[in-house]
Amino acid sequence: MEIFKNIGKIPFEGSQSKNPLAFRYYDAEKLVLGKPMKEQLNFAMAWWHNLCATGTDMFGPGTADKSFGATIGTMEHAKAKVDAGFEFMSKLGIEYFCFHDVDLIPEAADINETNSRLDEISDYILEKMKATGIKCLWGTANMFSNPRFMNGAGSSNSADVFCFAAAQIKKALDLTVKFGGEGYVFWGGREGYETLLNTDVKFEQENIARLMHLAVDYGRSIGFKGDFFIEPKPKEPMKHQYDFDAATAIGFLRQYGLDKDFKMNIEANHATLAGHTFQHDLRISAINGMLGSVDANTGDAQLGWDTDEFPYSVYDTTMAMYEILKAGGLKHGGLNFDAKNRRPSYTYEDMFEGFILGMDTFALGLIKAAALIEDGRLDEFVKDRYSSYTTGIGAKIRSGETTLVELAAKAAELKTPALPGSGRQERLESIVNQVLFNGAN
Ligand code: XUL
Ligand code: CO
């Protein structure tokens, strides 16, 4: 049964189109730097926002009807969400989805019952995957909503809660493997603390690492070949979260010997909450060989929380795609729209238009990032900026063939150094604008 009646397959109509239900820039098969757009971007739908979230906030209930013709809280509804999700992805040409265990079914009081519901729904999802060719980008366990996780999952003070976290991860890994998923995510929503007065940080971090090791061992034992991801976020819901940003999470992985199995899943709005740009956390991940996947969304400059908006800033997506292209792309990853419509945008059309906005914004970002790379002036400038290290004493510093004594002697000979070359930030920003808006007049 068709759910999104009156909305057909979303066509690509080009930049002049005024049809709100058409792509203006996302042209799936168009080659950018030798690869079809859809492969450069690997778009995914987040089950939780798109099929579950109704716009509930602290001040009022949801505004969007996501019953899809069924009674909420039933397995019939869980199946209606599958129907809606696959129809939605097919109409938009989205080839991947991401899920938490409890996005898929109503959680029961008894975990055994929850697991049998997951078995039932995953059989149904698998049928749809086979019929449509749609794939799973990553799975995860929701270890933050249920009250048992009030003090975290791996970091909980309760060993029984740790067991439930382990059980959920085991099941979510089973499902991810059943779906042939490319990745498995840890977002440590409540892995952190409210006050140090009651918290043993070292103990908690060791337990989180233990849980991750157990997950890796189990995942590999059932044939999971993809990447495990940490999705950093500095705060919200906890005051302080352990996976603060990419640099912190990478340090943690190395400290506990998890760096061979894990990469980063960088979410734009999480990076900005940490006081960074989206581009910064992508770069830090990339230079450490840990750029895995991306949760594509955006925050709001005036609001200090995780608003999870659909990306609309072409400047931001250009700089993000610049990092991703330069890192050689996302191997087991993609761009997962961890994004939701604004509360007053509550209709089915809005669900589609949110994705069209996000997909077009990233398509433009991809086109413009490729243009920046082809233009070459940024790369050339950066290369030249460090050119004092290519010869003489600079080359010796780089190759490790010098000593503090030799360097001090060089400084004494120079007496006072020439000022480093200008950073030319304004010139470079102007180049970016020129590449973004060429053809604007
Ligand atoms: C929360 C968030 C999560 C993760 C998966 O801020 O981003 O939805 O992506 O648990
Ligand atoms: Co996310």
Side-chain angles (χ1 to χ4, degrees):
M1 193 188 69
E2 193 179 21
I3 292 172
F4 304 104
K5 298 195 185 83
N6 310 322
I7 301 176
K9 180 133 180 68
I10 305 300
F12 167 71
E13 290 186 356
S15 63
Q16 300 308 308
S17 170
K18 293 196 171 149
N19 175 3
L21 292 171
F23 294 116
R24 276 165 279 284
Y25 305 100
Y26 180 60
D27 184 4
E29 302 298 337
K30 182 183 163 154
L31 297 184
V32 178
L33 297 179
K35 232 176 154 183
M37 270 192 173
K38 65 174 192 181
E39 284 174 34
Q40 296 277 25
L41 297 164
N42 278 348
F43 289 130
M45 177 194 78
W47 210 271
W48 53 101
H49 282 315
N50 202 43
L51 303 174
C52 310
T54 57
T56 310
D57 69 14
M58 311 265 259
F59 303 94
T63 53
D65 178 2
K66 300 259 173 101
S67 63
F68 305 119
T71 308
I72 302 214
T74 62
M75 282 304 282
E76 183 209 359
H77 180 233
K79 287 193 179 150
K81 288 198 293 183
V82 178
D83 295 341
F86 278 85
E87 183 186 325
F88 185 85
M89 290 184 278
S90 303
K91 285 183 168 172
L92 276 159
I94 289 185
E95 297 192 347
Y96 291 93
F97 65 90
C98 300
F99 71 98
H100 300 83
D101 46 2
V102 303
D103 302 337
L104 304 181
I105 41 103
E107 198 178 2
D110 175 345
I111 194 168
N112 299 295
E113 171 60 20
T114 302
N115 285 347
S116 66
R117 291 181 190 175
L118 285 170
D119 290 337
E120 186 186 337
I121 205 72
S122 56
D123 285 344
Y124 190 57
I125 291 174
L126 208 52
E127 273 175 37
K128 294 268 181 182
M129 290 175 73
K130 285 187 184 139
T132 58
I134 288 170
K135 296 163 278 200
C136 172
L137 188 65
W138 52 257
T140 188
N142 177 326
M143 305 193 298
F144 44 89
S145 294
N146 192 298
R148 63 177 168 261
F149 297 121
M150 64 173 75
N151 296 330
S155 66
S156 177
N157 55 310
S158 159
D160 285 353
V161 171
F162 192 100
C163 292
F164 272 80
Q168 277 187 242
I169 293 170
K170 178 175 176 293
K171 191 70 186 172
L173 273 165
D174 288 339
L175 296 179
T176 303
V177 170
K178 182 168 175 177
F179 296 151
E182 305 261 344
Y184 184 87
V185 164
F186 278 83
W187 170 62
R190 294 192 198 269
E191 311 286 36
Y193 62 79
E194 295 295 330
T195 171
L196 284 175
L197 295 175
N198 65 14
T199 305
D200 186 336
V201 172
K202 184 163 185 288
F203 184 92
E204 292 196 357
Q205 294 204 355
E206 284 168 2
N207 275 2
I208 295 169
R210 168 87 61 227
L211 190 58
M212 289 178 174
H213 271 294
L214 292 168
V216 170
D217 291 347
Y218 179 73
R220 299 304 181 214
S221 81
I222 59 166
F224 176 63
K225 299 213 168 46
D227 285 324
F228 287 87
F229 299 124
I230 282 190
E231 184 179 320
K233 186 177 182 181
K235 57 187 171 191
E236 198 202 332
M238 294 305 249
K239 172 185 162 62
H240 186 104
Q241 280 163 212
Y242 295 135
D243 304 328
F244 192 91
D245 60 1
T248 312
I250 291 168
F252 170 87
L253 292 173
R254 291 194 178 136
Q255 161 86 356
Y256 292 105
L258 288 156
D259 48 313
K260 298 285 171 291
D261 291 284
F262 275 82
K263 289 192 163 58
M264 295 295 114
N265 180 38
I266 297 301
E267 177 162 326
N269 203 169
H270 295 181
T272 49
L273 279 176
H276 303 309
T277 57
F278 181 20
Q279 188 185 6
H280 170 92
D281 256 20
L282 294 171
R283 175 76 63 96
I284 295 297
S285 305
I287 62 166
N288 284 286
M290 288 218 182
L291 179 54
S293 200
V294 167
D295 269 10
N297 62 15
T298 189
D300 181 291
Q302 279 74 45
L303 300 176
W305 66 88
D306 195 13
T307 58
D308 283 345
E309 296 174 38
F310 283 95
Y312 58 83
S313 161
V314 177
Y315 199 99
D316 287 350
T317 56
T318 299
M319 298 328 290
M321 289 313 302
Y322 188 72
E323 296 302 322
I324 292 170
L325 289 174
K326 287 197 146 251
L330 302 168
K331 191 163 159 249
H332 286 297
L335 302 175
N336 167 46
F337 286 110
D338 193 352
K340 61 186 178 208
N341 289 110
R342 297 306 85 196
R343 193 164 180 266
S345 305
Y346 60 89
T347 70
Y348 284 168
E349 284 82 1
D350 293 308
M351 288 170 69
F352 280 85
E353 290 184 40
F355 273 77
I356 292 169
L357 170 67
M359 292 164 79
D360 265 347
T361 306
F362 262 96
L364 260 175
L366 169 65
I367 293 166
K368 294 299 175 182
L372 273 176
I373 290 170
E374 275 166 354
D375 176 88
R377 280 177 287 171
L378 296 185
D379 268 342
E380 204 181 310
F381 183 83
V382 173
K383 193 166 164 232
D384 187 57
R385 187 157 179 255
Y386 297 94
S387 59
S388 68
Y389 287 92
T390 52
T391 55
I393 196 72
K396 285 177 97 178
I397 294 171
R398 292 296 289 166
S399 60
E401 285 166 52
T402 186
T403 63
L404 225 50
V405 172
E406 187 186 18
L407 294 171
K410 176 75 183 173
E413 178 194 320
L414 289 171
K415 295 194 180 68
T416 186
L419 285 179
S422 166
R424 302 262 185 252
Q425 181 168 334
E426 298 76 6
R427 181 188 295 176
L428 300 170
E429 287 168 344
S430 180
I431 290 173
V432 173
N433 277 351
Q434 185 190 16
V435 171
L436 278 175
F437 298 106
N438 59 5
N441 56 5

